[in-house]
Amino acid sequence: KLERRRAQVASFRDGLETQLAERQQRREAEEAEKQKWVRVVQGHTEEFARHQEAEAKQKQLQREEWKRVAAADADRAQQRKEAEERAQRVERENLRRTLEAEAAHKEQVEQAKKERSQQRAREAQANFEDAARDRESKRSQELAEAQLAAQEAARQAAVRDAAT
């Protein structure tokens, strides 16, 4: 049961490590996406500089595109922020669960140690009582043998006295 609990804790930790690796990959992908958009915006800026004298309609269309890109970036930033907050909540919850599992495991280990100690104490008491009974039994047996030997000696002495 203890080994199973350890395996569960190890599995849980592996899951956390996997989640952290996935989170890092997402961050790297988001950073690449951000760099891509930075290059897009820089390209648009250079194009604007080269075509500064283009028609007013073309300028208006370009401005609208920038607004759309900015709004999309703002949406993505908000989504990233919300996703990070959710991930942090999940991470905190997982950490709390891990700590609870470790505390429960530690308590189980302590309880097992306590139970082993109590069992050893009971066994030691039983062994002591068995040894005391054995000693008492030996003493009773030796006393009985001594009484028989004394009776036999008294009988032999009586036989010798009667013979003499």
Side-chain angles (χ1 to χ4, degrees), residues 2 10 15 24 27 44 56 58 71 73-74 81 99 105 111 114 118 129 140 142 157 160:
L2 182 61
Q24 182 63 30
R27 285 182 181 165
H44 285 263
Q58 191 176 14
D73 283 347
K81 182 179 177 183
L99 293 175
H105 173 70
Q111 183 64 27
K114 183 178 178 182
Q118 290 173 348
E129 290 172 0
S140 297
E142 288 173 357
R160 266 186 264 133

Side-chain angles (χ1 to χ4, degrees), residues 56-71:
K57 183 179 179 182
Q58 191 176 14
K59 287 182 183 180
Q60 182 63 29
L61 291 175
Q62 187 66 44
R63 284 187 205 120
E64 290 173 5
E65 175 65 17
W66 287 345
K67 287 178 184 178
R68 188 191 63 75
V69 169

Side-chain angles (χ1 to χ4, degrees), residues 84-101:
E84 285 177 2
E85 289 172 353
R86 282 191 304 272
Q88 287 175 353
R89 283 192 303 273
V90 167
E91 197 172 317
R92 281 192 299 270
E93 180 63 21
N94 289 340
L95 179 60
R96 183 190 61 77
R97 288 180 187 160
T98 300
L99 293 175
E100 286 176 356

Side-chain angles (χ1 to χ4, degrees), residues 22-142:
E22 290 171 355
R23 184 176 178 197
Q24 182 63 30
Q25 289 174 350
R26 283 193 306 271
R27 285 182 181 165
E28 291 171 0
E30 290 170 358
E31 183 61 31
E33 182 73 17
K34 182 180 176 182
Q35 290 300 321
K36 176 183 167 187
W37 283 108
V38 165
R39 289 190 299 274
V40 167
V41 171
Q42 288 174 346
H44 285 263
T45 304
E46 292 169 2
E47 182 180 333
F48 178 75
R50 286 191 307 268
H51 300 287
Q52 195 171 19
E53 300 182 16
E55 298 175 8
K57 183 179 179 182
Q58 191 176 14
K59 287 182 183 180
Q60 182 63 29
L61 291 175
Q62 187 66 44
R63 284 187 205 120
E64 290 173 5
E65 175 65 17
W66 287 345
K67 287 178 184 178
R68 188 191 63 75
V69 169
D73 283 347
D75 287 343
R76 278 193 209 93
Q78 181 64 28
Q79 290 172 353
R80 271 194 307 271
K81 182 179 177 183
E82 291 170 358
E84 285 177 2
E85 289 172 353
R86 282 191 304 272
Q88 287 175 353
R89 283 192 303 273
V90 167
E91 197 172 317
R92 281 192 299 270
E93 180 63 21
N94 289 340
L95 179 60
R96 183 190 61 77
R97 288 180 187 160
T98 300
L99 293 175
E100 286 176 356
E102 287 177 354
H105 173 70
K106 185 176 180 181
E107 185 177 319
Q108 287 176 347
V109 168
E110 291 300 321
Q111 183 64 27
K113 285 179 183 178
K114 183 178 178 182
E115 289 173 2
R116 280 195 306 267
S117 177
Q118 290 173 348
Q119 180 63 29
R120 287 181 186 145
R122 285 192 298 269
E123 288 173 359
Q125 181 66 31
N127 288 341
F128 177 77
E129 290 172 0
D130 287 346
R133 280 193 297 274
D134 288 346
R135 281 193 305 270
E136 186 60 34
S137 175
K138 264 187 182 178
R139 285 183 190 154
S140 297
Q141 187 178 10
E142 288 173 357

